[in-house]
Structure formats: C-alpha cells, structure tokens
Amino acid sequence: MRPRSLALAAALAVLPLTAVSLGVGTAQAAPTPNAAARVALPQTVTPAVARSHKQGDVPADRKISVAVSLKLRNTAELDRFLAAVGTPGTAEYGHYLTPAQFTERFGPSAADVDQVRAFLAAQGLTVDSVSANRQVVNATGTSAQIAAAFGTHESTYTDPQQDGRAFFANDAAASVPAALAGVVEGVSGLNDHTVRTTRIAKPGAATPHATPSGFGPATYDGAYRLNQLGADGTGTTVALWEFDGYKSTNLTTYDSQFGLSGPAVSTVSVDGANYDSKPGDGQGEVELDSEIVRGVAPKATQLVYEAPNSDQGEIDMAAKIVADNRVSVISISWGSCEPDTTASSMTAVNNSFKQAAAQGISIFSASGDDGSRDCTRSTSGSTVKAVDFPASSPYNTGVGGTNLKVSGTTYSSESAWSTAGGGVSTQFAKPTWQTGTGVSGTMRTVPDVSSNADPNSGFAIYTQGTSAPGWQVYGGTSAAAPLWSGFAALYNQKAAAAAKPVLGEANPKIYAVTNSSSYGTSFHDVTTGANQDFSTKTGYDQVTGWGTPVADGLANALLGSGGTTPPPGTCTAAQLLGNPGFETGTASPWTASSGVVDNSASEAAHGGSWKAWMNGYGSAHTDSLSQAVAIPTGCKASLSFWLHVDTAETTTTSAYDKLTVTVNGTSVAVYSNLNKGTGYAQKTIDLSSYAGQTVTVKFNGVEDSSLQTSFVVDDTALTVS
C-alpha cells in the first residue's frame, strides 16, 4: 500500500504578528493592526472599566505579567465522567483520576502548550512557567509587548466606587490569532483591579483579650456533633487557600489553650509568594481558617497555599493545588463578587475546580458576608444583587452563615445571620444535581449549606491585634467554610476505614441526602431569619442552604450511599470503553494523535466505517491512542481489540516498526511488522490484576525512517464480569 502524507494541520505554525512601532516616548503606543485574522476572547475586560475614569496610558516599558489559560479538551466526556464518578452504582463511582490521567484525557495537549509558547516568544514575551496540568502559561513583557500580543491597549483608571482607587486595565477585549482561538481560553493579568477579600467579621468595637472569649472547639464540635464521628482527621490533608500569611506561634498558642495536637502547619508558595515573615491585614483570616480546621480535625495535615492577590495568582494557585494532588479537601475563605470579577479568570479557575472534582477533592467556600448584595464593598455597590466567587462555582460547596445558640456544648437553636451571602449566580448554570430547592430558574443558587458565622456568636481565635497577639472573637462565613472542611477531613478518615471513597465533589452527594428521608437526621433546617432579598424557609433557601450539619447523622447517610465497588466476588457485567469502534467520527473520549481516527478507503475498518489507523507514513513517526477507565474491584477484566498490520517491510526476522500496548505505563503487549496479515486478528489481554484502579490503556505506534507499517485498530472493548 502507498504511505500516506502527514496532515498539514498537524504541522501548522503560528505566524508572528507584525511588529509594533513603540515610538520614542514613554507612553504606550497603540498596537498596529494585524494582517493575520484575530479572534476576540470574550469576557477579558474587568467590569470596573465601564464605571471608572480613564487617566492615561500605562507606560510602554512597564512590566506586566499575564496568565494565558488554555481550554480543556473532551469537555462533554469530562462532564459525563464527573457525573459517573460521584454516582453510586456506576462502574466509575469513586475511581478518581490522578493529575497525569486527567491531563492526558482532558487537559490541553503538549502541542497546545508549545503553540502558545511559540506565539508568546514571537511577541517578545518571556515565558516564566507552565502549570503542571498544562492549563496555564505564565509570561511577562512590557505593556507595549502585551498590548501588541493581545491586540488591546493598557490604560490607567481610577474607581470612584472605591474612593478613587487607581488601577490599570485593558480597554477592550483581548484577542489572539485565529490559529490559537481553539486553544486559548482567556488572558488574565491585563488588569490589577480585582482583589480577593476575606469573609471575616468581628463584633463591633472588638478588642483583643488575654483569655479566650467565644466558642472554642468543645462548643462547636459538640453543637454540631462533630465529636461523635469517632475520627480526628488522621491520614487526611486539607489545603487552605490564602492570599496572606500567618505566625506559627499564634497557631501553637491556640493548640496549647485547647489541648490540641497535630501535624505542624506548613506553607506552599505559589508564584514566589510567602507572607509568613511579615503577614499583612489578612493574617487573621489565615489563622482563623487554620485554627477552626484544627479544632474540628486536629490530626489532619494542613498545607497553607499562599499566592499573590490577583487574577493570575488565584488561577495559578488553583492549578498548583490540583496538580500537586496532596490534599482531599480545600478550604476557601476569600472571594470577590461575580459582577466585578473578570469572567474569563473565573472560567480559568473553574477549570481547575473541575480537575479537583475528577481527582476526588472536596472544596468548601465561604458564601460572603454582604448578604445577597455581595458587591457592597466593591465597584458595583449595594444596589446590585450578586453572589460570591468561588462559592458560586458548581464544583464548590458554598457555605452560608447562621447565629448559633447552645446550652453548654449542646445545640439549642439557630437563625440566619442577616448578612450571610446567598442568591443567584450570573456566571454558572444550575447543575443537574441542584434539585429539590423549590427555586425556579436556570442559574446556580448559593449557598448549599451553612454553619455558625455571626460574630455575635463568634469563635475564639488567637491572632494578631493592633499591637500584639491576643484572643479575638471572629465570625463570618470565613469561619463556616473551614468548619465544613474539617468535617470533610473527618468523613474521609471514616470512609477510608470503611473501604469507601473520599467525599470528593460534595454537592451531588449532599443534595442526594437532602432529597431523601435522611435529611432530618443529617441537617438542622434553619427556618428563621433573612438576608436583604431572601428569607429562610423549610428546606432549602438562599440564606442558609439546606442548613447546618448534624455531623454524625450526615456522615452515616453519606457512608450509606455506596462504596467504591460491589462487595468482593460480585461484579456488574459491562463494557467500559467509550466510542469503542470510533464510529462517532471523532476520537473523544479517546486521546489520539492527529489523523489517527480515520474513515479513508485506503485501510478498511473491521466494522462500520471508522477505525484507528496508526503510522503508515514510511518515515520516522509516532502515533498514539489512549483512554482512561475505572475497573471496579471484584471484577474480572479483559481488553480486546481487532488489529490489522499492513507493512512494506519484507524482513521475517527484524521488528523495525512496533505497536506497544500499555496499561498505566506498563507494557502488556507488543506487535510489529512481523505480525503482518491480510486481514484483522482479534487480540485479548487479561487486565483483572488492575481491578479497583483507574487505568489508562494506550496504543503507541513507532515507525522507523523507511518502509511503512500501518497498525490499524478497531472494535475495542474493555469488558468486566
């Protein structure tokens, strides 16, 4: 047979943009129109530009750092997987992915990253780093270079809604060459307006105390029955999402006061940030988060991720946490109101949240402390109904706030905290699992759950005062999010002991409980109180969500929802591979080299019209085809496929061209030009030893520099029984 030619698309290079004349002044010059077609990137302008006063140009030589976010691949299959991995009874339930598996299956490809890097370098920008999950490429350049690269202009502004605060921003949407439009999600760092603020609250005229005042661990653990789980967080790890630092001596003082002990808290720097030597105004937030987690789950390991307080910093922190994959829970107490946050930056962060869900990481985020008017202290102001991000992300459990009354360490009653964040997202659609709320509409509502947050029923926290450390009484949904994160750590410890999966993306499971007969024994339904626009009611509401935890009842309900797999020795027969015969005409959910999924007449399919044709070029070339699937515990598993080897090689002794089949990187079969035949032959490989694992099955064809060999695969199956 004749060797086929390489597809031109696979070798397409991005042409550099025309140069920009910078002139001789210090002002930034307007970018020269580009001959190459460009595509605008929507939602890359901060909403503050429309309400602010332009002052002038950003100096042309000012350095600006940007984060170029890349699109995920196979998003429909990702949505299907996320639904399946959290649904008891499915073959994939509880079989979470590793970062490498997620990136191979859904992340940007290495070729996508190379294409973006080449473009940035051609514009004179310095590529500083690429996130481990390939979702973010960070680069630095002058204002003039940034403007030229992204077809926009950087100006200085003042924001009248924030006392004339100065900031810089792009005047119009960023754009990229058309060849990059299918790869680039957005560009962040073009403005420095949006900063994340704490969701912390203190009683009026609060002053530090020499001794604790407010709720200590015995009180809130007792009220919410967290002390009835029989767990202390051993073997679990929680990430704290922070934009400031802490003093370890303050944390140890808290531990000593309440008789707590556990692994020392450690810092993970993001983009070089580390505030611990000189914490700023957010120190109280970081120490509140850590001390509440310690109070709930004392033996849990805490990793404090510290990032620059910017769009780029938040994006990079999200990408690093999921790529590191060191934690099973993330606690977030910082946020910004949706209408005043650059939408493309929220999308980039949310992509990492999707990866967190795929890896089994739970995220609990404070819903905000300005009620249903989350922009009260931001540009849009108090007249706008708004919710807080990241709590509004469908992959986060948004945590609202209450006022808790106790009798000793026993629960008495609760009412809504009047400024607890809640409402309707304008960014994210209502997820399929958000049912039974009694709220109409197509957009996501928050919060999902709640716990004590009113500073008038606040927590005893040891932190920095105006001149020295001391005991303070803190509240805010900043206190509610780490309490729920501590619960997740306790749950994960119990789940591991019961051979059940970690909590993972919590909301689908929480809503399943609240829509069942277990609701009344799992939650305190808060039915008193309101924020500005929403009142509490029986069941779900946009002030307290489904309510506050009855921790032991909730854990039992969640543990009863099913294990990772059927009992030993039982298995539901199934075929696990998606698109096994390639008849969709596309690769998804396979990850394949360009041109591999093919319906040309040069090589016949085994069945139907499509097949996977690897190699056949007659020159040095590598093709691959892979898919990740979860094989349930207790199952026998078998991989089968039909293989046709067509070659121009005449040797009967030398294997010049090879097709290697691997499972999680381990070779399980090798075929070569010596296996040539006139038709297809079925191959079968026993994978029973991989039961209980998520595996990546990969076909990798390598052809030498002469005489073609084609490896044609069709009608694949991974069956379990």
Side-chain angles (χ1 to χ4, degrees), residues 295-320:
V296 176
K299 302 299 185 184
T301 297
Q302 296 182 30
L303 301 180
V304 181
Y305 281 78
E306 296 180 8
N309 194 337
S310 64
D311 287 348
Q312 184 177 9
E314 184 172 51
I315 291 168
D316 288 346
M317 177 153 57
K320 181 169 177 56

Side-chain angles (χ1 to χ4, degrees), residues 91-113:
E92 291 160 304
Y93 176 60
H95 292 283
Y96 297 107
L97 304 181
T98 66
Q101 289 169 336
F102 181 91
T103 298
E104 180 177 4
R105 193 168 171 183
F106 303 115
S109 68
D112 292 341
V113 172

Side-chain angles (χ1 to χ4, degrees), residues 164-464:
R165 176 188 157 215
F167 67 98
F168 73 84
N170 49 311
D171 302 338
S175 65
V176 292
L180 286 177
V183 174
V184 174
E185 185 83 69
V187 182
S188 300
L190 297 174
N191 76 82
D192 66 347
H193 183 270
T194 303
V195 293
R196 283 81 201 149
T197 56
T198 66
R199 280 19 187 161
I200 201 168
K202 307 178 189 179
T207 56
H209 301 278
T211 58
S213 178
F215 291 160
T219 303
Y220 54 81
D221 287 345
Y224 291 131
R225 298 182 62 83
L226 292 155
N227 58 3
Q228 300 300 306
L229 268 69
D232 57 12
T234 296
T236 66
T237 305
V238 178
L240 306 184
W241 172 287
E242 308 292 355
F243 298 99
D244 211 322
Y246 62 96
K247 289 293 186 182
S248 59
T249 53
N250 291 347
L251 305 185
T252 55
T253 298
Y254 183 89
D255 292 349
S256 177
Q257 174 66 40
F258 294 113
L260 304 172
S261 64
V265 176
S266 59
T267 300
V268 181
S269 174
V270 179
D271 295 344
N274 189 318
Y275 306 97
D276 298 343
S277 62
K278 190 177 181 181
D281 293 341
Q283 177 181 352
E285 176 64 75
V286 184
E287 292 171 357
L288 166 70
D289 294 346
S290 178
E291 290 171 15
I292 294 294
V293 171
R294 180 75 87 194
V296 176
K299 302 299 185 184
T301 297
Q302 296 182 30
L303 301 180
V304 181
Y305 281 78
E306 296 180 8
N309 194 337
S310 64
D311 287 348
Q312 184 177 9
E314 184 172 51
I315 291 168
D316 288 346
M317 177 153 57
K320 181 169 177 56
I321 292 174
V322 297
D324 287 353
N325 202 34
R326 299 171 65 185
V327 307
S328 60
V329 186
I330 303 172
S331 182
I332 302 179
S333 295
W334 301 71
S336 54
C337 76
E338 279 188 348
D340 292 342
T341 306
T342 309
S344 63
S345 296
M346 288 190 281
T347 299
V349 173
N350 198 56
N351 282 346
S352 284
F353 290 157
K354 289 182 181 180
Q355 181 171 346
Q359 293 173 195
I361 300 173
S362 307
I363 309 174
F364 294 89
S365 290
S367 68
D369 296 349
D370 292 298
S372 55
R373 308 296 178 100
D374 195 65
C375 300
T376 294
R377 290 174 281 181
S378 185
T379 301
S380 294
S382 61
T383 61
V384 176
K385 293 181 183 179
V387 297
D388 203 72
F389 178 83
S392 61
S393 164
Y395 305 99
N396 285 219
T397 298
V399 186
T402 64
N403 177 288
L404 172 65
K405 297 288 192 298
V406 298
S407 175
T409 59
T410 303
Y411 183 93
S412 291
S413 64
E414 265 175 302
S415 58
W417 181 36
S418 60
T419 57
V424 184
S425 172
T426 57
Q427 178 74 13
F428 300 104
K430 180 180 289 185
T432 56
W433 45 256
Q434 193 162 41
T435 59
T437 63
V439 179
S440 60
T442 61
M443 304 303 287
R444 165 150 164 73
T445 57
V446 287
D448 301 295
V449 296
S450 55
S451 60
N452 185 48
D454 190 335
N456 292 308
S457 57
F459 297 84
I461 299 298
Y462 193 82
T463 188
Q464 179 66 35

Side-chain angles (χ1 to χ4, degrees), residues 607-678:
S609 302
W610 294 81
K611 71 282 182 181
W613 179 4
M614 285 164 279
N615 307 113
Y617 295 102
S619 59
H621 188 79
T622 299
D623 275 330
S624 65
L625 174 76
S626 64
Q627 185 175 152
V629 294
I631 302 177
T633 299
C635 288
K636 294 181 179 180
S638 176
L639 171 68
S640 64
F641 55 93
W642 291 85
L643 173 66
H644 171 51
V645 181
D646 181 308
T647 185
E649 302 281 4
T650 58
T651 179
T652 58
T653 58
S654 299
Y656 293 118
D657 310 312
K658 296 180 180 180
L659 176 71
T660 303
V661 184
T662 62
V663 176
N664 285 353
T666 299
S667 175
V668 294
V670 179
Y671 308 97
S672 73
N673 49 281
L674 299 178
N675 298 107
K676 64 181 179 181
T678 56

Side-chain angles (χ1 to χ4, degrees), residues 1-14:
M1 83 151 256
R2 294 172 57 189
R4 51 184 179 156
S5 59
L6 285 169
L8 291 176
L12 179 65
V14 180

Side-chain angles (χ1 to χ4, degrees), residues 14-17 34 36-39 119 123 149-150 175-182 184:
V14 180
L15 297 176
L17 301 178
N34 215 325
R38 297 184 70 90
V39 175
F119 163 71
Q123 308 312 305
F150 300 110
S175 65
V176 292
L180 286 177
V184 174

